[in-house]
């Protein structure tokens, strides 16, 4: 259960559906607020910094974008530390494409800078693929029966994120320059919006597939991502059942403080409390933390 589910007392599936709707809504709001040529609201200038922004559309663009990222983080919480590479790919591609088509006639420096940004985006995309496959390899090494997990279709979909971002900002560049370009057919504005949505949904697909395939083998809590599967769930559930026979909030919080230290691998805490958790792995401690946190919220 994520943050939103805890606040609204939702099941995980209902929370995921709500997060999907909210992320799409906030992305659409941010996109429409940001691409308006004339903006919304009065134009405010900051002469000292040379910045101009619209009183309504600019804050809406920024706030909605941040809310969208927060919703996506909660929706893909198990894989987010790997998926955050998509943010870097997006912005490097956006700046590189814009420089390439807007500043191409201003000298070779801008042309070279744009190519560097685009190659960096491609390198990060390649690095993200390596990380996801390394994650799959580690899972298979720990859990041999997971060898059937296949990411072939996912691998083919990854370049679509880069290509959609590149094309959308090509259209944006032509929209900014107010000129026709290749394949715009006079619809640069519509092309920009369409490929922004294609980029957004391809990004969600890129995060969804690893989480749906590998998520069950990832960490049980949000402490970190760990591919070890050394967990006896029945043993942990039995301890929780014994624990609930005489429990209060103060006792839960005190226990959680010690468990957090054990989960982080604190040697002193393990030496002091290890006798109460004989033959427990770090992953089992983290699973117990998750169960206690859910118990304390009831």
């Amino acid at each position: 259960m994520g943050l939103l589910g805890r606040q609204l007392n939702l099941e995980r599936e209902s929370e995921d559906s709500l997060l999907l709707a909210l992320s799409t809504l906030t992305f659409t709001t941010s996109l429409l607020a940001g691409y308006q040529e004339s903006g919304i609201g009065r134009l405010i200038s900051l002469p000292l910094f040379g910045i101009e922004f619209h009183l309504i559309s600019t804050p809406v663009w920024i706030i909605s974008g941040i809310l969208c990222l927060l919703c996506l983080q909660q929706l893909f919480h198990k894989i987010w530390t790997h998926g955050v590479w998509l943010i870097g790919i997006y912005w490097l591609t956006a700046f590189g494409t814009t420089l390439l088509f807007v500043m191409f006639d201003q000298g070779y420096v801008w042309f070279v800078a744009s190519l560097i940004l685009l190659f960096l985006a491609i390198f990060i995309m390649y690095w993200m693929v390596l990380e996801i496959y390394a994650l799959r390899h580690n899972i298979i090494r720990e859990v041999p029966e997971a060898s059937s997990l296949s990411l072939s279709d996912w691998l083919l979909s990854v370049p679509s994120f880069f290509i959609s971002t590149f094309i959308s900002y090509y259209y944006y560049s032509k929209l900014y320059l107010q000129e026709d370009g290749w394949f715009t057919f006079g619809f640069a504005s519509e092309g920009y919006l369409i490929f922004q949505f294609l980029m957004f949904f391809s990004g969600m697909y890129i995060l969804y597939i690893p989480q749906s395939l590998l998520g069950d083998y990832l960490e049980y809590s949000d402490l970190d991502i760990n591919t070890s599967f050394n967990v006896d769930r029945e043993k942990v559930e039995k301890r929780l059942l014994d624990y609930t026979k005489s429990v209060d909030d103060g006792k839960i919080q005190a226990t959680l403080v010690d468990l957090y230290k054990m989960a982080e691998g604190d040697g002193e805490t393990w030496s002091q409390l290890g006798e109460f958790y004989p033959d427990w792995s770090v992953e089992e401690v983290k699973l117990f933390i998750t169960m206690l946190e859910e118990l304390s919220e009831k």
Side-chain angles (χ1 to χ4, degrees), residues 16-32:
D16 287 347
S17 299
L18 180 58
L19 287 170
L20 176 62
L22 288 175
S23 59
T24 304
L25 177 62
T26 51
F27 174 79
T28 303
T29 303
S30 179
L31 177 62
L32 296 178

Side-chain angles (χ1 to χ4, degrees), residues 194-261:
I194 290 172
F195 278 94
Q196 280 286 302
F197 278 110
L198 287 176
M199 174 277 302
F200 176 70
F201 288 115
S202 65
M204 294 185 72
Y205 181 80
I206 290 170
L207 294 176
Y208 169 75
I209 293 299
Q211 175 157 296
S212 63
L213 291 179
L214 310 179
D216 290 341
Y217 302 95
L218 297 178
E219 188 51 60
Y220 284 101
S221 72
D222 295 331
L223 295 175
D224 60 358
I225 287 184
N226 190 311
T227 55
S228 176
F229 211 59
N230 185 21
V231 172
D232 183 348
R233 191 179 184 92
E234 184 177 348
K235 175 176 66 177
V236 179
E237 290 176 343
K238 183 177 183 302
R239 171 61 66 87
L240 181 70
L241 181 62
D242 295 338
Y243 193 86
T244 55
K245 293 178 180 178
S246 60
V247 66
D248 56 62
D249 289 339
K251 182 180 178 182
I252 291 178
Q253 294 305 317
T255 304
L256 284 173
V257 170
D258 293 330
L259 290 175
Y260 287 140
K261 294 180 181 179

